[in-house]
Amino acid sequence: MKLIWSPETASRAYIDTVKSCEKLRESGVPELLSAMAAGWGAKLIVESWSQGDPIATSIGLAMAARHTRGRHVCIVPDEISRSEYVNATRNAGVMPEVVVGEAEAATGAGVDFLVVDCKGRDFSRVLMRAKVSPKGAVFACKNACQRNVSGFKWHGAVEKGTRVVRTVFLPVGKGLDIAHIGYGAGGGNVVQSNKKGPSRWIKHIDHRSGEEHLFWE
């Protein structure tokens, strides 16, 4: 099995997120992550969240889960964060599943799409504990320019037995560091990158600032 991209599903999730987040004035990160999660058909979407953080990314991931008919699970560090998160998402009209403090419980069922915030203290632990689904997964680190781990490298940051197929850093928001994760040669099904198809430039436009970002796929 391997990840299969659906541009139609990605577009629908993107548009829904733009509409849902238009008053939150985020940086374009929620829309991009929503489109990616939906486009890859993610059935288990997991994110981490801490008290005081914006919820726009959660709204975007919830939109993606609706289009893929998947689960959206959020890991929070404590009960105070849980209460704030539940109230905020309820007011936004979405209701993700919430897990308090247990990365293993949320990421042990085969993650397809994972989002962590590099400002959080435990983001590296969540990456390491995440169980990759049989078809592979996409891991995204937002606020990567504020990463509190020096010398971070994807190789060695994820579960043993998996491998990093491809990475890309996007100058969106305060930095998005994204990796396509598959199984290593000795770890079961290997998720191959598409070597036969041509690479291409992907354009992302921040609809609030008007900025245009290009990245190579």
Side-chain angles (χ1 to χ4, degrees):
M1 299 176 65
K2 64 179 181 179
L3 296 172
I4 299 176
W5 178 257
S6 170
E8 294 82 7
T9 306
S11 297
R12 289 196 294 268
Y14 185 96
I15 292 170
D16 285 350
T17 303
V18 169
K19 293 178 180 177
S20 299
C21 296
E22 59 184 354
K23 296 181 180 179
L24 298 178
R25 297 184 180 180
E26 280 288 315
S27 59
V29 171
E31 295 94 332
L32 182 55
L33 291 175
S34 177
M36 292 182 67
W40 288 123
K43 295 299 184 181
L44 177 55
I45 301 170
V46 178
E47 67 168 322
S48 61
W49 189 90
S50 297
Q51 184 182 12
D53 288 345
I55 62 162
T57 295
S58 290
I59 296 173
L61 296 178
M63 295 298 112
R66 287 181 183 178
H67 284 285
T68 65
R69 298 182 180 180
R71 293 173 58 201
H72 173 205
V73 181
C74 183
I75 307 169
V76 297
D78 49 45
E79 287 294 336
I80 295 176
S81 295
R82 186 197 69 79
S83 179
E84 181 178 319
Y85 181 80
V86 168
N87 289 334
T89 52
R90 182 185 293 119
N91 290 337
V94 295
M95 288 293 292
E97 300 176 40
V98 183
V99 175
V100 179
E102 293 292 338
E104 293 84 354
T107 60
V111 175
D112 297 302
F113 199 87
L114 174 67
V115 179
V116 298
D117 191 336
C118 291
K119 293 188 300 183
R121 292 175 297 175
D122 295 333
F123 85 89
S124 57
R125 178 172 175 266
V126 176
L127 290 175
M128 182 64 71
R129 299 287 185 178
K131 303 293 182 183
V132 178
S133 77
K135 64 181 180 181
V138 173
F139 288 2
C141 294
K142 65 179 185 177
N143 294 315
C145 295
Q146 298 179 319
R147 195 147 38 202
N148 59 11
V149 175
S150 60
F152 175 87
K153 294 183 178 180
W154 279 107
H155 297 281
V158 293
E159 180 191 12
K160 185 177 181 180
T162 59
R163 69 183 180 92
V164 179
V165 179
R166 178 185 296 174
T167 66
V168 63
F169 184 89
L170 307 182
V172 183
K174 295 182 179 178
L176 267 178
D177 197 358
I178 301 172
H180 176 189
I181 309 297
Y183 285 109
N189 296 327
V190 179
V191 180
Q192 301 286 353
S193 59
N194 185 7
K195 298 298 184 180
K196 295 182 179 179
S199 296
R200 57 176 179 161
W201 285 102
I202 302 296
K203 180 169 70 173
H204 173 261
I205 299 176
D206 188 326
H207 289 272
R208 294 183 180 83
S209 67
E211 293 180 346
E212 180 178 299
H213 305 287
L214 294 175
F215 62 95
W216 187 251
E217 182 183 61

